[in-house]
C-alpha cells in the first residue's frame, strides 16, 4: 500500500469510527481577541476568517475569550506559503501562572518545497521537554487543514484532519502529573524565530518575502467552559468526555508515527543521559507487549 492510500484509509477510519465533529462554533470576533501585532491580525468575512501576519517590525497573535477545562477543540489553519523559513506559527492551549499547563502545536517554516515540521509538546505544572515532531504528509499551505486537541481526564490526543498522531495519557497513578486542574485559553501567534526554527537556525528569514500570512477558519469547541472557578460542560454526555483509545486505535496511531515522526524525546538519549522521563519507559513497555 502506498503512502497516499494508507493515509486515506486511516483518515476515513478515524473520521467514521473514532472521532466526531464538535458542535459549538463561533465567529472569530465573538470568540477571540487579537492581543498583539499593531493591526497585523485581522478578522474578516463577518467574523468567519482570521489572518495573522509577520513582517520585520512585528508578528501578531490572538487568544480566546473563554477558558476551557477539558474538551474537543478544532481549528482549520492554512500556513504561511512559499519560503517560510525562520517563521513559526503557534496554536496552543495554556493556563496562567508560573506552574502552567500547556498543549502545544508549533509549525516550523521551511524553504520552498521542503516540508513543514509540526512540533508538539505537553507541559504539566510548568515542565515541558516532551517534544515530538512530525513531517506533514500534505502541503499545509495549499489549503486549510484541521488541527485538533481532544482533552479529557484519561488522555490528550493531538489530531491532524481527524487522524490521531500523538497521545499523552493520564499516568498520575505512576506519579506523573496530568493536566486536570488548570483551565486554559486557546492562543495562536505568528512570529520570527530564525535563530532556531529552520535547520537549527542555519536558514534565516528572507524578509524580502514579507509580509508572511497564516489564515484561520472554522473554529469549533465542544468543551467545558471555566468561569470564576466553576466549569460548565455541554448538556448530556459528550463522547469526548469518556473517550479512550483501544489497542487498535493505538496501533493505527503508531503506524502514522513510524512514517512521519522525525523526533521523539523518548528516543533522545543524548538529551537525557541520566535516564528518560518516566512516561517514556511506561509507553515503551506497553509497545513491546502489543
Amino acid at each position: 500500500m502506498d503512502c497516499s492510500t494508507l493515509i486515506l484509509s486511516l483518515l476515513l477510519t478515524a473520521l467514521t469510527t473514532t472521532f466526531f465533529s464538535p458542535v459549538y462554533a463561533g465567529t472569530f470576533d465573538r470568540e477571540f481577541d487579537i492581543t498583539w501585532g499593531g493591526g497585523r491580525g485581522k478578522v474578516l468575512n463577518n467574523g468567519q476568517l482570521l489572518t495573522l501576519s509577520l513582517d520585520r517590525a512585528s508578528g501578531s497573535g490572538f487568544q480566546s475569550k473563554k477558558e476551557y477545562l477539558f474538551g474537543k477543540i478544532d481549528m482549520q489553519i492554512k500556513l504561511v506559503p512559499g519560503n517560510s523559513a525562520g517563521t513559526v506559527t503557534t496554536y496552543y492551549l495554556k493556563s496562567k501562572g508560573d506552574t502552567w499547563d500547556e498543549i502545544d502545536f508549533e509549525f516550523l517554516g521551511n524553504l520552498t518545497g521542503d516540508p513543514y515540521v509540526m512540533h508538539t509538546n505537553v507541559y504539566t505544572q510548568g515542565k515541558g521537554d516532551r517534544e515530538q515532531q512530525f513531517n506533514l504528509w500534505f502541503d499545509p499551505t495549499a489549503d486549510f487543514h484541521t488541527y485538533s486537541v481532544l482533552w479529557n481526564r484519561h488522555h490528550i490526543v493531538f489530531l491532524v484532519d481527524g487522524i490521531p498522531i500523538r497521545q499523552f495519557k493520564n499516568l498520575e497513578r505512576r506519579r506523573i502529573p496530568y493536566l486536570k486542574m488548570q483551565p486554559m485559553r486557546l492562543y495562536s501567534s505568528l512570529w520570527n524565530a530564525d535563530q532556531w526554527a529552520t535547520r537549527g537556525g542555519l536558514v534565516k528569514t528572507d524578509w524580502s518575502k514579507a509580509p508572511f500570512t497564516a489564515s484561520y477558519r472554522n473554529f469549533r469547541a465542544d468543551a467545558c467552559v471555566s468561569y470564576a472557578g466553576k466549569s460548565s460542560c455541554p448538556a448530556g454526555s459528550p463522547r469526548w468526555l469518556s473517550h479512550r483509545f483501544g489497542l487498535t486505535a493505538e496501533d493505527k496511531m503508531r503506524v502514522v508515527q513510524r512514517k512521519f515522526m522525525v523526533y521523539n524525546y523518548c528516543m533522545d538519549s543524548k538529551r537525557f543521559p541520566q535516564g528518560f522521563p518516566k512516561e517514556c519507559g511506561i509507553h515503551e513497555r506497553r509497545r513491546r507487549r502489543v
Side-chain angles (χ1 to χ4, degrees), residues 12-273:
L12 291 175
T13 302
L15 290 176
T16 57
T17 65
T18 304
F19 293 96
F20 31 86
S21 298
V23 297
Y24 298 113
T27 58
F28 284 101
D29 51 345
R30 293 187 177 184
E31 297 291 334
F32 293 93
D33 292 316
I34 295 175
T35 50
W36 63 283
R40 292 172 179 83
K42 301 180 186 298
V43 176
L44 306 168
N45 298 352
N46 296 317
Q48 300 300 313
L49 180 71
L50 188 150
T51 62
L52 295 179
S53 66
L54 163 70
D55 57 33
R56 188 183 289 271
S58 178
S60 50
F62 64 86
Q63 70 179 44
S64 64
K65 297 177 185 290
K66 297 173 183 174
E67 292 182 306
Y68 305 103
L69 187 62
F70 305 126
K72 173 83 165 29
I73 307 292
D74 288 307
M75 184 79 79
Q76 289 192 332
I77 307 174
K78 183 161 66 171
L79 297 175
V80 174
N83 182 359
S84 58
T87 71
V88 174
T89 305
T90 68
Y91 164 62
Y92 59 100
L93 290 157
K94 185 180 180 182
S95 65
K96 301 174 183 176
D98 295 331
T99 56
W100 75 96
D101 292 340
E102 185 173 340
I103 304 168
D104 197 12
F105 281 97
E106 294 185 2
F107 303 93
L108 312 184
N110 216 331
L111 295 169
T112 302
D114 289 343
Y116 259 82
V117 174
M118 185 177 68
H119 174 104
T120 66
N121 204 349
V122 176
Y123 287 75
T124 57
Q125 300 175 14
K127 184 181 184 306
D129 298 331
R130 299 184 176 100
E131 297 92 344
Q132 291 182 354
Q133 295 181 342
F134 303 81
N135 282 338
L136 294 171
W137 52 90
F138 52 84
D139 180 356
T141 73
D143 203 351
F144 287 88
H145 291 268
T146 304
Y147 305 92
S148 309
V149 172
L150 185 153
W151 169 35
N152 62 25
R153 293 186 180 275
H154 308 300
H155 63 175
I156 295 162
V157 183
F158 294 74
L159 304 102
V160 178
D161 287 338
I163 299 173
I165 55 105
R166 179 177 182 176
Q167 176 183 213
F168 183 80
K169 293 183 179 181
N170 184 340
L171 296 172
E172 287 184 302
R173 67 186 183 281
R174 305 293 184 94
R175 298 183 179 180
I176 298 170
Y178 187 70
L179 300 74
K180 68 174 189 179
M181 300 298 294
Q182 301 188 67
M184 298 192 282
R185 294 187 191 275
L186 180 65
Y187 297 84
S188 190
S189 62
L190 174 58
W191 54 291
N192 178 46
D194 65 4
Q195 69 275 20
W196 62 269
T198 306
R199 301 182 188 177
L202 294 176
V203 181
K204 301 300 183 182
T205 303
D206 181 356
W207 293 111
S208 71
K209 308 298 184 183
F212 305 98
T213 301
S215 303
Y216 303 75
R217 71 180 188 188
N218 290 345
F219 164 71
R220 302 285 189 274
D222 186 0
C224 301
V225 176
S226 180
Y227 180 75
K230 296 182 179 180
S231 185
S232 176
C233 296
S237 180
R239 284 182 288 171
W240 59 259
L241 195 59
S242 59
H243 182 271
R244 297 177 189 242
F245 270 158
L247 292 179
T248 300
E250 287 196 8
D251 285 346
K252 290 177 179 176
M253 180 181 67
R254 283 195 286 272
V255 169
V256 175
Q257 291 176 342
R258 284 195 297 268
K259 287 188 171 290
F260 301 107
M261 184 185 290
V262 295
Y263 177 81
N264 181 0
Y265 74 108
C266 285
M267 302 295 289
D268 192 345
S269 57
K270 291 183 179 179
R271 185 177 176 191
F272 300 103

